[in-house]
Amino acid sequence: MKLNTKIIHAGIKPDPSTGAIMTPIFQTSTFVQSGPNQHQGYDYSRAGNPTRTALEQSLAALENAQHGLAFSSGVAATETVIKLLKPGDEVIAANDMYGGTYRLFSKIWEGFGIRFIYTDTTHTENIAHAVTANTKLIWIETPTNPLMNITDIAAVAEIAKKAGALLCVDNTFASPYLQNPMDLGADIVMHSATKYLGGHSDVVMGALMFNSDELRERLFFIQKSSGAVPGPMDCFLVLRGIKTLHVRLQRHCENGKKIAAFLAASEKVKKVYWCGFEDQPGYAVAKKQMRDFGGMMSFELKDDSIEAATRVLTATKVFALAESLGGVESLINHPASMTHASIPREERIKNGLSDALIRLSVGIEDADDLIEDLRQAIG
């Protein structure tokens, strides 16, 4: 199937008992057995549920993977990957990434003896130099949250392979519509399905996709044992959201291009972070590994004070000031106090995330309305 057809149909079949074209919501905790351990593939919904199975098959198909697993949140999916490790193992991670991931790594798992090395992964030689005999996992985002930095997935996959380490790519910002890390050599792809996969700001969920049967057994065991699984209603919502992923992302990309151009031309904007600009450092890599450049971006005002940023953040009428991203509605965000508040200020500043940085998740409204909203907010 071509991508647009696969998004709607892959992994999904009509319900065999009724012919329902939409996967039913199996709102049940347990399943009746004809004898001890004699069941129809399901015994307890923590271990498996038909609605979740349909979603996991769809997720795998989206990323050209053999297997998919759904979790109660993106952080739960991330933690499941870290649970593959043991004390003394090392993880190489990007120094520009989602604050919740940094918090999980530095505030939780470092305490259990996992060592995390943070580096600028846009220069893959940094990753190669950081590899040791204890390196078991390389974790990257591309584009990164919130500075839109681009990392060459195929190049990092080669480094991981030589090191005997797993490569996990957080593909949340790009979505499977724009980028497929499995095709570039990644071992695991992670999504906060809350974002573009769900697409309607009405569900919290995470996902992992991968090819290895052995990884599937290990990750499924952790999923079942730790219990961070989504409910069937949430699985239904993401299944519904996925069916319009391609048409939504087309508009996100169209609007994103227009908004980025508007911001870049504004006399009051100092810098725009968007991976679709030809003068962006990662543009060539982004063009190679992505189908388009998306609707995520950040910008800084020439007046780089917190007061000026706050005026913009609180003056928009169409853009809503809120956490999260990837929904049909446009959102505006202040990373330093919201999504990335858990990262120490000195680390944020060192990595280029200023106190006054503003992040946009450009939705699918009329682009002219979005531009006018930003125009009046910026002044």
Side-chain angles (χ1 to χ4, degrees):
M1 292 182 183
K2 292 186 178 179
L3 180 61
N4 290 351
T5 307
K6 181 166 65 173
I7 284 170
I8 295 175
H9 293 287
I12 306 299
K13 298 177 182 178
D15 178 52
S17 63
T18 65
I21 194 166
M22 293 299 293
T23 303
I25 303 168
F26 287 88
Q27 195 69 51
T28 183
S29 61
T30 193
F31 302 82
V32 174
Q33 305 183 29
S34 59
N37 206 31
Q38 295 178 15
H39 50 74
Q40 300 177 56
Y42 299 95
D43 54 7
Y44 188 61
S45 274
R46 174 165 42 79
N49 177 285
T51 314
R52 192 168 92 223
T53 297
L55 173 60
E56 291 175 339
Q57 291 171 345
S58 177
L59 292 169
L62 288 176
E63 286 290 8
N64 302 325
Q66 294 297 314
H67 307 290
L69 292 175
F71 297 84
S72 55
S73 69
V75 171
T78 300
E79 181 164 76
T80 299
V81 176
I82 301 302
K83 285 176 178 175
L84 293 170
L85 308 177
K86 63 182 187 302
D89 289 345
E90 294 180 356
V91 179
I92 300 172
N95 60 3
D96 172 32
M97 63 178 177
Y98 169 51
T101 305
Y102 175 87
R103 178 177 59 218
L104 179 69
F105 289 176
S106 64
K107 304 299 184 184
I108 304 295
W109 284 102
E110 277 188 6
F112 289 91
I114 309 296
R115 182 171 181 243
F116 295 89
I117 299 99
Y118 302 97
T119 189
D120 180 359
T121 60
T122 64
H123 298 285
T124 52
E125 62 271 21
N126 293 343
I127 300 174
H129 292 156
V131 169
T132 73
N134 294 325
T135 302
K136 303 301 179 186
L137 174 67
I138 300 174
W139 184 281
I140 63 172
E141 292 179 12
T142 184
T144 59
N145 182 1
L147 296 177
M148 305 304 298
N149 288 315
I150 301 296
T151 295
D152 189 327
I153 298 171
V156 179
E158 285 296 316
I159 295 170
K161 185 176 180 180
K162 290 178 183 177
L166 294 171
L167 170 61
C168 185
V169 179
D170 182 340
N171 200 31
T172 299
F173 264 33
S175 89
Y177 180 75
L178 300 182
Q179 179 173 271
N180 296 117
M182 296 295 302
D183 295 347
L184 300 170
D187 297 291
I188 305 171
V189 177
M190 194 285 290
H191 283 273
S192 173
T194 309
K195 314 307 194 290
Y196 286 110
L197 291 176
H200 293 79
S201 304
D202 55 9
V203 63
V204 174
M205 193 181 297
L208 299 175
M209 297 81 141
F210 42 90
N211 282 328
S212 165
D213 293 342
E214 185 264 340
L215 260 183
R216 199 272 172 188
E217 291 305 310
R218 294 175 66 193
L219 290 168
F220 171 69
F221 179 81
I222 296 170
Q223 179 198 46
K224 180 176 68 173
S225 301
S226 298
V229 296
M233 182 65 192
D234 288 347
C235 292
F236 174 85
L237 289 172
V238 176
L239 278 167
R240 184 192 64 173
I242 285 172
K243 286 182 178 290
T244 59
L245 178 67
H246 55 311
V247 292
R248 288 187 285 107
L249 260 295
Q250 287 171 5
R251 180 59 65 86
H252 285 300
C253 290
E254 292 167 5
N255 283 358
K257 183 177 182 179
K258 293 176 182 178
I259 300 302
F262 162 75
L263 291 172
S266 172
E267 295 179 352
K268 295 192 174 183
V269 173
K270 178 171 67 174
K271 185 173 183 179
V272 182
Y273 301 85
W274 181 62
C275 56
F277 289 135
E278 292 188 12
D279 59 355
Q280 182 86 355
Y283 175 78
V285 174
K287 189 172 177 60
K288 177 182 68 173
Q289 67 188 20
M290 297 174 69
R291 299 181 185 93
D292 208 331
F293 303 109
M296 293 302 304
M297 65 193 67
S298 297
F299 68 96
E300 295 170 343
L301 300 168
K302 288 181 180 176
D303 179 353
D304 61 355
S305 66
I306 291 291
E307 292 75 19
T310 300
R311 282 196 297 272
V312 174
L313 289 159
T314 56
T316 57
K317 296 176 171 37
V318 181
F319 281 86
L321 177 60
E323 302 265 359
S324 200
L325 59 104
V328 294
E329 57 284 304
S330 294
L331 301 179
I332 190 167
N333 173 281
H334 182 232
S337 67
M338 297 170 73
T339 53
H340 292 67
S342 59
I343 299 177
R345 184 176 184 273
E346 60 273 16
E347 288 296 315
R348 284 194 291 100
I349 300 299
K350 183 175 69 175
N351 296 332
L353 201 171
S354 69
D355 288 339
L357 185 81
I358 296 170
R359 191 190 76 184
L360 300 180
S361 173
V362 177
I364 65 172
E365 303 95 337
D366 189 288
D368 290 341
D369 288 335
L370 297 175
I371 289 171
E372 183 55 36
D373 191 36
L374 290 171
R375 191 193 314 277
Q376 64 83 25
I378 292 171

